[in-house]
Amino acid sequence: MALNLRQKQTECIIRMLNLNQPVNPTGTANEEVYKILIYDKFCQNILSPLIHVKDLRKHGVTLYFLIDKDRKPVNDVPAVYFVQPIQSNIQRIVADASRSLYDSFYLNFSSSVPRPLLEDLASGTLNSDSIHRISKVHDQYLEFVTLEDNLFSLSQKSTYLQLNDPSAGDKEIEDIIAMVVSGLFCVLATLAVVPIIRCPGGGPAEMVASALDQKLRDHLLSKNNLFSEGGSFASSFQRPILCIFDRNFELSAAIQHDFRYRPLVHDILGLKLNRLSVPGEKGGMKSYELDSSDPFWTANGSLEFPEVAVEIENQLNTYKKDVDEVNRRTGGNAGAEFDGTDLIGNTKHLMNAVNSLPELTERKQVIDKHTNIATVLLGQIKERSLDAYVKKENDMMDRGGIDRNELLAVLKGKGSKMDKLRFAITYIISSETINPAEAEAVEAALIESEIDTSAFQYVKKIKSLNVSLTSANSASRNNIVDWAEKLYGQSISAVTAGVKNLLSSDRQLALTRTVEALMEGKPNPEIDSYLVFDPRAPKSSSGSSSSHLKGPFKEAVVFMIGGGNYVEYGSLQDLAKHQQPVKNVIYGTTEILTGMEFVEQLSQLGHKMGLGNPVAISSATH
């Protein structure tokens, strides 16, 4: 059975809401207990895409509050806490218990509680004579946000910026890597699988893979093992492969414009936690939810925008036909909106019409929602010539360059400042060799439009380093890396891991192509140098290619350090669907970023390195 992260995380949360008691097949606890739910902001974001208010009621949650809000005592009611294991939350729990706010406290931490914090909790409740109120303390290993069945984010902000910051010290880098490892461990614990880990050598990908391997090894030795597929089951269960990459592996995918529905909605309208707000037809803002409960979103998210518009039209026509059919059978007026008032005719037709009413109403709501979203998108596409940006960026990536006049025409034409900056950066990434005169003309065009060029210059610097690296042989390569690190701080070696992939030779993303090769498990020059970590194997065999790795893999978890996006997610889902037999790929990242959000991190890096013109960073976003 395919791994389904959304389902597994939801099951864990429901069990938690039922005071960690076993749950009936119906999804409710054996005994109906009314309770209060207390969460922090981070855990609210974990709950938000998975559990709705009506679901909370079903599981006996009558009130829910943020932990840092002032709350009044509620007698004779247990409280379920779901919070991150941090000092401020522990202090607040101790304060709540000492004030006897609730009858009993069921404490659930989103990841493993460090021992010092556990001791603070114990001493704090002992001193206030409230330790008897603490009924249970659980490590839930749920510190990640699942947005779709196969999509998750660790919600760790600005990881790319922090890892590539020239002023970052070893301690800061290690702390970030440890946070990423902790989040990935939570995902694997929720899925209850110990994967084979593959990654390119060098940079954050290897650091995360190596540390995760060690964490899994340590855990597998402990008595309370979270991974149920041990022992005899391991032989019949094919383990998944975990492929870890760093954002520098393929920068272009984080910056380019895309014309598919899901990436467009995210990039242009700012989809966050499966929700977005768009201007309504009659003024004001309308909020929508876009998740697996929306059949149109699920079925058409990966289509190009013009195909989505056609599909909306088709569904509207089918809906009208079905309404006319119901009206005809019940003697109503053809072409009228179906409102259920004009129902006459024999009883059988009447009953059928009544039964089809909720389904028709629901369909109409979905059609109206996507009509509204598509209308807003279309307005933005026309105003900013986004279709032209997509086409020209794809052409540049395919051909490895663009005609200078065409390039400058785009930078002087329609589009926001950020659109132009993203286009200019894509030009730099796509060029096999940088023409200094052309690059200067691009920079001049950006400055003329009052656009901050620091992100452009940062990528140009990285790129000039990479071009020299691609032509270097392996012996002199290390010298260049050493030189680069002295010049730009210690994190530039992260870039070298993806040298070959800065230029995608075809339209398939380098990431997708590499994941496909890793899942096949056959000898392939693109991936033969990739490191292998098997937390279940003897330590000596880890870190090098091993013969015991038999492909092909049916399941993969692909993780991008430093920010991911819906373009990569869609590309990997297409890959999984078109495989024979169909495979399953889960995509995760430290945070999901729009092109603009990622370029803002590049701008900050440029500023830290003293690059760019002195225009305020925020001006690039207008």
Side-chain angles (χ1 to χ4, degrees), residues 322-581:
D322 292 349
V323 168
D324 288 346
E325 179 63 15
V326 169
N327 279 329
R328 188 182 63 72
R329 286 176 172 243
T330 54
N333 301 322
E337 274 286 313
F338 185 62
D339 59 3
T341 53
D342 195 10
L343 293 177
I344 39 175
N346 67 46
T347 312
K348 188 177 169 194
H349 289 322
L350 202 58
M351 287 304 290
N352 287 342
V354 168
N355 290 338
S356 65
L357 181 57
E359 190 258 345
L360 282 169
T361 309
E362 203 171 300
R363 267 167 61 192
K364 184 70 166 74
Q365 282 170 347
V366 170
I367 292 166
D368 287 349
K369 167 164 83 174
H370 288 282
T371 303
N372 199 2
I373 291 170
T375 306
V376 177
L377 278 179
L378 186 60
Q380 287 288 312
I381 290 166
K382 282 182 173 170
E383 188 184 320
R384 291 159 57 182
S385 277
L386 292 176
D387 48 339
Y389 276 96
V390 172
K391 185 176 183 318
K392 289 196 168 78
E393 284 170 359
N394 284 334
D395 287 350
M396 279 196 292
M397 294 306 290
D398 287 349
R399 296 205 308 259
I402 186 172
D403 173 71
R404 182 193 281 207
N405 293 336
E406 205 178 337
L407 173 67
L408 296 175
V410 173
L411 294 174
K412 290 174 179 170
K414 282 185 179 178
S416 67
K417 290 182 181 183
M418 184 54 80
D419 291 330
K420 291 173 183 180
L421 182 56
R422 285 165 67 182
F423 184 76
I425 295 171
T426 306
Y427 150 73
I428 282 288
I429 293 171
S430 70
S431 307
E432 291 189 29
T433 53
I434 298 170
N435 175 331
E438 210 167 80
E440 275 175 31
V442 169
E443 213 167 306
L446 292 175
I447 291 168
E448 196 182 314
S449 299
E450 296 182 338
I451 296 168
D452 176 18
T453 61
S454 49
F456 175 79
Q457 290 196 22
Y458 176 74
V459 176
K460 191 172 80 172
K461 204 119 204 173
I462 286 180
K463 182 68 194 217
S464 60
L465 212 69
N466 273 338
V467 171
S468 55
L469 281 168
T470 45
S471 58
N473 62 31
S474 55
S476 64
R477 173 175 166 156
N478 291 335
N479 302 340
I480 294 175
V481 172
D482 293 342
W483 164 76
E485 290 185 347
K486 285 189 188 86
L487 208 59
Y488 300 118
Q490 54 283 77
S491 59
I492 208 79
S493 58
V495 175
T496 66
V499 168
K500 291 202 298 286
N501 302 304
L502 269 172
L503 307 174
S504 298
S505 59
D506 54 21
R507 289 295 290 282
Q508 190 185 34
L509 295 178
L511 176 74
T512 310
R513 200 171 62 240
T514 308
V515 169
E516 184 175 15
L518 288 167
M519 287 183 83
E520 274 176 5
K522 293 177 186 157
N524 182 323
E526 270 202 38
I527 56 156
D528 287 346
S529 63
Y530 275 46
L531 304 179
V532 182
F533 296 89
D534 180 0
R536 287 198 182 279
K539 182 76 176 161
S540 59
S541 67
S542 261
S544 60
S545 285
S546 317
S547 57
H548 76 279
L549 285 174
K550 297 284 182 279
F553 290 90
K554 294 194 191 83
E555 306 262 356
V557 179
V558 178
F559 186 75
M560 182 59 76
I561 303 163
N565 50 66
Y566 283 90
V567 177
E568 287 176 334
Y569 170 60
S571 179
L572 289 167
Q573 294 313 303
D574 287 348
L575 169 73
K577 266 192 263 172
H578 295 125
Q579 295 279 316
Q580 287 301 332

Side-chain angles (χ1 to χ4, degrees), residues 182-196:
S182 170
L184 270 177
F185 183 84
C186 289
V187 171
L188 297 175
T190 302
L191 290 169
V193 293
V194 178
I196 308 283

Side-chain angles (χ1 to χ4, degrees), residues 36-54:
I36 287 171
L37 175 64
I38 312 292
Y39 43 66
D40 60 12
K41 195 80 189 103
F42 189 93
C43 292
Q44 182 183 28
N45 290 347
I46 295 173
L47 294 170
S48 166
L50 300 176
I51 301 277
H52 296 102
V53 172
K54 63 177 188 300

